Amino acid sequence: ENEPFMSMEVMRIGNLSERSSVGFRTRDATAKAGVHYISTSGTLVFEAGENTAVIKVPLEVSVRWDTTLEFVAELVHTRLENAIPGRYLWQSLIKIMQVRGDCFPTDRFAVE
């Protein structure tokens, strides 16, 4: 229940009058799934009128921490419903950082 995780807010723009969804997945960069974070995939659902949704990626508790750990979160264009992918912002490089045990720069999503 109290496992650390990273949260990424995804913003939907354009026509908000209909329900929309998009698939997402994580992939390795310098951080490795199963070692630094838990590989995650799923579907973000935006109900009519909603413009944000959150992807949560559980982090592995590691004794060896490195300030250059990064993984990628990307939207999956083959799993779209009432959506058109953006030209540039369909993936994001996520840097995993910890300061005194807290996720940096914020841990505002860490407690549910």
Side-chain angles (χ1 to χ4, degrees), residues 11-79:
M11 181 181 290
R12 168 188 178 190
I13 58 175
N15 184 355
L16 303 180
S17 66
E18 295 183 28
R19 179 183 191 271
S20 180
S21 65
V22 62
F24 70 90
R25 65 181 169 224
T26 57
R27 64 180 169 81
D28 291 353
T30 55
K32 303 301 177 202
V35 176
H36 303 108
Y37 73 100
I38 297 173
S39 181
T40 305
S41 65
T43 302
L44 290 175
V45 177
F46 300 88
E47 296 299 336
E50 291 181 337
N51 68 340
T52 60
V54 176
I55 298 172
K56 291 185 178 182
V57 179
L59 301 177
E60 294 284 1
V61 178
S62 176
V63 178
R64 279 188 69 186
W65 202 258
D66 190 335
T67 58
T68 61
L69 294 177
E70 300 172 331
F71 64 91
V72 175
E74 60 187 359
L75 302 179
V76 181
H77 294 178
T78 58
R79 294 173 32 205

